[in-house]
Amino acid sequence: VQLQASGGGLVQAGASLRLSCAASGPTFSRYSMGWFRQAPGKEREFVATIFRNSGNTYYADFVKGRFTISRDNAKSTVYLQMNSLKPEDTAVYYCAGSSSLILSTIRNSRHYSYWGQGTLVTVSS
């Protein structure tokens, strides 16, 4: 599956953005999907995941209550709604897919086989 992320931009602190990740191919529903981010000079880190069958969602502690991951299988798209953005949320955001994700591995980027190109989110103070 090929992934195309979009929706990034420059916003002020406190604003909202919605990232989208469109997948090619008819099998999107078979993949659990996640969002990661990488700030300048830092390692890529887990943001959120939504499982393929249950639709259960999991978040990094630093985004709980502010970010929401969702998916629309009919549109082969996963979303990341980001509210109350902070300057420390500035990063390139990547969507990722996995056909075999389990709960114990959601935070490990190596367990996602498919990656989008990333979309830059910049939050000014």
Side-chain angles (χ1 to χ4, degrees):
V1 63
Q2 292 185 324
L3 304 175
Q4 180 75 34
S6 62
L10 172 63
V11 297
Q12 291 188 331
S16 298
L17 277 176
R18 188 177 79 158
L19 306 184
S20 299
C21 176
S24 63
T27 60
F28 176 75
S29 62
R30 298 180 185 178
Y31 296 91
S32 296
M33 300 298 297
W35 286 96
F36 286 74
R37 70 185 188 184
Q38 187 166 17
K42 295 188 177 181
E43 294 188 352
R44 191 171 298 189
E45 63 181 354
F46 168 77
V47 175
T49 282
I50 184 166
F51 276 88
R52 58 180 178 173
N53 292 323
S54 65
N56 288 344
T57 58
Y58 298 88
Y59 299 91
D61 287 343
F62 54 78
V63 303
K64 283 182 180 177
R66 299 190 298 126
F67 291 9
T68 302
I69 187 171
S70 61
R71 65 189 298 158
D72 185 335
N73 287 339
K75 295 183 178 180
S76 297
T77 301
V78 62
Y79 304 98
L80 185 69
Q81 177 67 44
M82 305 187 295
N83 298 329
S84 301
L85 283 162
K86 305 175 182 180
E88 51 264 43
D89 293 319
T90 295
V92 177
Y93 284 72
Y94 298 90
C95 58
S98 173
S99 60
S100 59
L101 199 65
I102 59 175
L103 185 56
S104 61
T105 64
I106 62 172
R107 290 171 174 78
N108 190 330
S109 62
R110 291 177 295 178
H111 290 272
Y112 295 78
S113 300
Y114 306 97
W115 290 84
Q117 85 289 1
T119 185
L120 176 63
V121 173
T122 304
V123 185
S124 64
S125 57

